[in-house]
């Protein structure tokens, strides 16, 4: 089922509409969207904007009132819903592991529905457990209630990946975990997706999460109208309207810095860099700025040279500010920057 | 004749009555469990059918047992027939109610996950809802059983089987030599049967509730 170019299959939505009987307005109104194969697209928007409904129409847990859905060119509405869903991975916030089945049985559910042999299913379960960093021998025969929230989420992702579906739908899969576990799971998931290149629709109301995970972000308004559909960097740099800008918040430029790595920026070789605070090459520019602020300096040392405040400005496309005036406080030799961060550095992106 | 002498001298009669008492309750519970769980499975998601079946089974339970047994005589006659029908009918409410509550009480996220993975409605019902509802269903059956053991004693009134005969005999000959012994033997016998049934259900519970539901979180 579905043509597959890469790990994933493309998804096309055409005039997709859901109008619940008895409601004055449609919950989802004529959504058009193209999702390229192998990309992770985040639907982000406030609660009740129809993002989950839009996603659930793709595996037909919600039947569309009108419109078209194509996965890998194939018309989804002509397929049997149960058969369709066996080829689309599905992970939800509450995880929904079956407590009466072992972890192994939970992960092997879809392969069983698809009629895989017991041996093939067992191999796949083992492979998936190690893919989500759970030791197969320790977890295979345990029950969901014996696992922590984070471990359950990983099993949930493994279960969604079980039959190697080209398309995955994820509804706030990390939403119910504590912030530390959540960040950990997000980082693991980014790595996993780099390797698998599935086509993923990921629903969240957390814009930070959207920036972190998405190849593209669809910012949705009420009735699932698409306010903007672009890469995280482009949305942060050029929000389409006040609505999108409001969603980004007042720190768009900082968020853009967070998307860039120290290694991505030209670092000039300068003498004396050994005395500067150091930053790792795979740290983000936001972390570099933090180091500079913390040390009251406008430069820090990276493995490839010296990273300057001006380089950060260039990286986010603002005019490199006039070199901040440095003045000595008292007789101390520590330079302190007194110049305020130029307005340009906060960017027009805020839309104010 | 004291109580133990009475039990020894009437052992054959008493043990036969106790056996029949347990049998009639067992058969009635078996039938009403099969039918009641079936009704629960069919009706749990149909508001109208669910309402009607719960209302009917509740109405049956409000009919006094003496009256129901008497009303059944023209249809099923004296003895086993009327007893079985009445007991089966009385067991429906706890069984259907717990089945419906158990099936409907299953976390919506489990059902969504199951449907989202491509399990059919029937498969979700039998492989997810039923196992998760099973502890509650079993509790319903157990409550129904305890109730029927008591009601079965009344069946002696329509010449039904069981230890009720002893109790009625004692009542009708109040003041005579063995009146108290007969009533006491019948009552204690019923208590013993109730305890044995409870042990049976404890064993069934241990054997049939999935291990994953018993582990500590």
């Amino acid at each position: 089922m579905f043509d597959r170019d890469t790990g994933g299959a493309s998804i096309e939505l055409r005039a997709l509409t859901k109008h619940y009987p008895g409601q004055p307005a449609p919950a989802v109104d004529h959504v058009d969207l193209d999702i390229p194969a192998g990309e992770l697209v985040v639907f982000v928007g406030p609660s009740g904007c129809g993002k989950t409904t839009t996603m659930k129409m793709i595996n037909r847990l919600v039947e569309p009132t009108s419109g078209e859905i194509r996965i890998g060119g194939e018309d989804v509405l002509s397929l049997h819903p149960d058969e369709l869903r066996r080829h689309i991975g599905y992970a939800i916030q509450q995880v929904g592991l079956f407590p009466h089945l072992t972890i192994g049985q939970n992960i092997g559910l879809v392969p069983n529905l698809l009629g895989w042999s017991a041996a093939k299913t067992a191999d796949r379960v083992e492979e998936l457990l190690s893919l989500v960093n759970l030791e197969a021998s320790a977890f295979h025969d345990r029950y969901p209630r014996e696992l922590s929230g984070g471990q359950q989420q990983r099993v949930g992702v493994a279960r969604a990946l079980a039959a190697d579906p080209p398309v995955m739908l994820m509804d706030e899969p990390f939403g119910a975990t504590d912030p530390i576990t959540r960040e950990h799971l997000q980082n693991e998931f980014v790595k996993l997706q780099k390797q698998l290149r599935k086509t993923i629709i990921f629903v969240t109301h957390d814009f930070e999460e959207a920036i972190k995970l998405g190849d593209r972000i669809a910012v949705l308004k009420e009735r699932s109208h698409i306010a903007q559909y672009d890469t995280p960097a482009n949305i942060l740099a050029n929000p389409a309207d006040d609505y999108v800008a409001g969603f980004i918040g007042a720190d768009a430029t900082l968020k853009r810095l967070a998307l860039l790595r120290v290694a991505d920026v030209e670092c000039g070789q300068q003498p004396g860099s050994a005395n500067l605070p150091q930053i790792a090459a795979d740290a983000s520019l936001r972390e570099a700025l933090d180091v500079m602020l913390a040390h009251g300096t406008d430069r820090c040392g990276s493995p490839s040279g010296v990273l300057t405040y001006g380089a950060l400005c260039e990286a986010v496309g603002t005019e490199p500010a006039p070199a901040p005036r440095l003045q000595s406080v008292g007789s101390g030799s520590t330079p302190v920057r007194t110049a305020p961060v130029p307005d340009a550095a906060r960017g027009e992106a805020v839309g104010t | 004749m004291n109580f133990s002498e009475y039990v020894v001298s009437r052992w054959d009669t008493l043990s036969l009555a106790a056996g029949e008492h347990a049998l009639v309750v067992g058969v009635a519970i078996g039938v009403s469990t099969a039918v009641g769980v079936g009704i629960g499975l069919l009706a749990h998601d149909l508001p109208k059918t669910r309402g009607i079946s719960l209302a009917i089974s509740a109405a049956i339970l409000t009919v006094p047992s003496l009256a129901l047994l008497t009303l059944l005589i023209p249809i099923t006659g004296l003895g086993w027939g009327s007893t079985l029908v009445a007991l089966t009918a009385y067991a429906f409410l706890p069984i259907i109610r717990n089945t419906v509550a158990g099936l409907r009480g299953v976390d919506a996220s489990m059902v969504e996950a199951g449907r989202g993975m491509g399990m059919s409605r029937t498969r979700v019902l039998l492989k997810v809802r039923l196992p998760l509802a099973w502890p509650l269903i079993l509790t319903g059956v157990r409550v129904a059983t305890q109730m029927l053991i008591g009601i079965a004693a009344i069946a002696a009134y329509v010449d039904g089987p069981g230890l009720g005969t002893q109790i009625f005999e004692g009542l009708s000959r109040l003041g005579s030599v063995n009146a108290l012994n007969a009533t006491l033997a019948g009552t204690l016998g019923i208590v013993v049967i109730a305890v044995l049934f409870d042990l049976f259900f404890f064993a069934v519970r241990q054997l049939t509730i999935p291990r994953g539901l018993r582990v500590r979180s």
Side-chain angles (χ1 to χ4, degrees):
Chain A
M1 192 181 280
F2 312 138
D3 291 330
R4 297 164 69 163
D5 303 328
T6 61
S10 66
I11 304 173
E12 299 160 54
L13 309 182
R14 291 286 172 271
L16 193 61
T17 300
K18 178 66 191 182
H19 199 153
Y20 287 103
Q23 298 286 324
V28 174
D29 190 15
H30 287 83
V31 172
D32 291 291
L33 197 66
D34 282 294
I35 296 164
E39 288 208 355
L40 193 158
V41 169
V42 183
F43 287 1
V44 64
S47 325
C49 73
K51 54 189 191 297
T52 298
T53 309
T54 307
M55 189 195 77
K56 284 186 181 175
M57 280 194 275
I58 294 168
N59 68 357
R60 294 177 64 191
L61 281 178
V62 173
E63 283 292 340
T65 310
S66 63
E68 267 180 62
I69 305 166
R70 291 181 179 279
I71 299 180
E74 197 160 347
D75 178 15
V76 159
L77 298 176
S78 68
L79 300 169
H80 188 278
D82 289 336
E83 190 58 30
L84 168 74
R85 290 181 200 130
R86 291 171 195 175
H87 296 272
I88 298 179
Y90 190 54
I92 55 176
Q93 182 179 349
Q94 310 87 333
V95 198
L97 295 181
F98 298 145
H100 58 298
L101 302 181
T102 63
I103 301 305
Q105 289 168 329
N106 266 288
I107 297 176
L109 246 152
V110 179
N112 274 336
L113 291 173
L114 291 170
W116 290 18
S117 72
K120 189 181 170 193
T121 305
D123 288 348
R124 180 66 179 157
V125 168
E126 195 134 325
E127 184 188 345
L128 284 162
L129 279 170
S130 65
L131 196 66
V132 296
N133 294 327
L134 294 173
E135 201 178 329
S137 59
F139 286 94
H140 187 280
D141 294 325
R142 290 171 78 182
Y143 288 94
R145 286 183 188 169
E146 298 174 300
L147 271 55
S148 72
Q151 289 168 337
Q152 291 189 22
Q153 285 294 354
R154 284 174 208 200
V155 175
V157 171
R159 185 170 71 168
L161 282 167
D164 200 19
V167 170
M168 302 236 306
L169 306 178
M170 310 184 85
D171 191 357
E172 301 201 37
F174 311 133
T177 43
D178 64 83
I180 294 171
T181 309
R182 184 175 205 192
E183 173 143 14
H184 200 72
L185 289 170
Q186 287 171 344
N187 293 340
E188 278 182 8
F189 185 67
V190 166
K191 271 190 214 152
L192 195 62
Q193 167 62 358
K194 271 199 184 120
Q195 187 185 334
L196 299 173
R197 301 312 302 176
K198 300 282 178 199
T199 309
I200 299 176
I201 294 182
F202 192 108
V203 166
T204 183
H205 58 257
D206 178 355
F207 198 72
E208 298 275 355
E209 186 170 63
I211 294 170
K212 189 164 183 180
L213 301 180
D215 292 312
R216 285 162 206 264
I217 299 175
V219 184
L220 302 180
K221 290 199 267 200
E222 72 283 4
R223 278 173 276 147
S224 219
H225 283 156
I226 298 170
Q228 190 168 11
Y229 178 46
D230 211 329
T231 60
N234 287 346
I235 287 181
L236 289 170
N238 303 300
D241 53 23
D242 288 351
Y243 176 83
V244 177
F247 219 87
I248 294 169
D251 57 348
T253 315
L254 282 177
K255 282 175 175 148
R256 287 169 64 198
L257 282 179
L259 288 175
L260 299 166
R261 307 279 118 195
V262 171
D264 301 335
V265 181
E266 286 278 325
C267 294
Q269 286 294 338
Q270 284 178 27
S273 65
N275 299 328
L276 294 170
Q278 296 294 312
I279 183 96
D282 67 341
S284 72
L285 292 188
R286 184 178 180 155
E287 288 165 303
L289 179 63
D290 183 78
V291 167
M292 290 181 197
L293 290 173
H295 289 82
T297 169
D298 66 343
R299 56 196 60 220
C300 60
S302 80
S304 60
V306 173
L307 181 68
T308 62
Y309 176 72
L312 297 186
C313 296
E314 268 177 72
V316 291
T318 50
E319 287 291 311
R325 282 178 287 115
L326 299 175
Q327 87 181 25
S328 297
V329 173
S331 58
S333 59
T334 318
V336 174
R337 192 175 66 230
T338 53
V341 176
D343 273 354
R346 286 203 281 120
E348 313 90 52
V350 180
T352 47
Chain B
M1 191 185 279
N2 65 23
F3 180 64
S4 52
E5 285 167 347
Y6 177 83
V7 171
V8 172
S9 68
R10 303 275 158 66
W11 182 250
D12 286 352
T13 319
L14 286 174
S15 57
L16 181 69
E20 285 183 342
H21 199 106
L23 184 66
V24 77
V25 169
V27 172
I29 276 296
V31 173
S32 56
T33 301
V35 177
V37 172
I39 290 175
L41 284 170
L42 294 173
H44 79 281
D45 211 20
L46 308 168
K48 224 177 219 171
T49 320
R50 185 175 73 226
I52 291 172
S53 44
L54 283 174
I56 293 177
S57 51
I60 293 173
L61 206 55
T62 60
V63 179
S65 42
L66 269 178
L68 183 62
L69 287 164
T70 312
L71 290 171
L72 281 170
I73 294 175
I75 310 162
T76 43
L78 289 168
W80 279 80
S82 294
T83 310
L84 264 179
V85 172
L87 292 184
T88 306
Y90 279 130
F92 279 139
L93 183 66
I95 293 173
I96 296 179
R97 169 162 286 176
N98 277 31
T99 304
V100 165
L103 294 173
R104 286 171 58 79
V106 169
D107 199 308
S109 67
M110 309 277 162
V111 176
E112 195 192 324
R115 296 289 286 149
M117 283 189 288
M119 295 172 83
S120 66
R121 237 173 244 288
T122 315
R123 195 182 279 264
V124 168
L125 179 61
L126 297 179
K127 299 281 182 176
V128 181
R129 283 191 194 266
L130 188 57
L132 294 180
W134 184 242
L136 200 58
I137 296 174
L138 213 52
T139 304
V141 175
R142 198 175 132 207
V143 168
T145 307
Q146 298 298 329
M147 201 175 74
L148 292 201
I149 292 170
I151 296 177
I154 317 281
Y157 180 74
V158 293
D159 201 20
L163 288 163
T165 323
Q166 293 291 317
I167 300 171
F168 275 90
E169 207 177 283
L171 274 177
S172 61
R173 295 193 286 120
L174 214 56
S176 69
V177 201
N178 280 322
L180 190 63
N181 281 336
T183 309
L184 203 57
T187 310
L188 286 177
I190 285 171
V191 170
V192 170
I193 290 171
V195 170
L196 290 177
F197 263 108
D198 229 31
L199 285 174
F200 169 76
F201 279 112
F202 179 77
V204 170
R205 206 181 155 79
Q206 292 301 308
L207 291 173
T208 61
I209 291 183
R211 208 168 75 80
L213 298 184
R214 284 184 276 128
V215 294
R216 302 222 145 240
S217 47

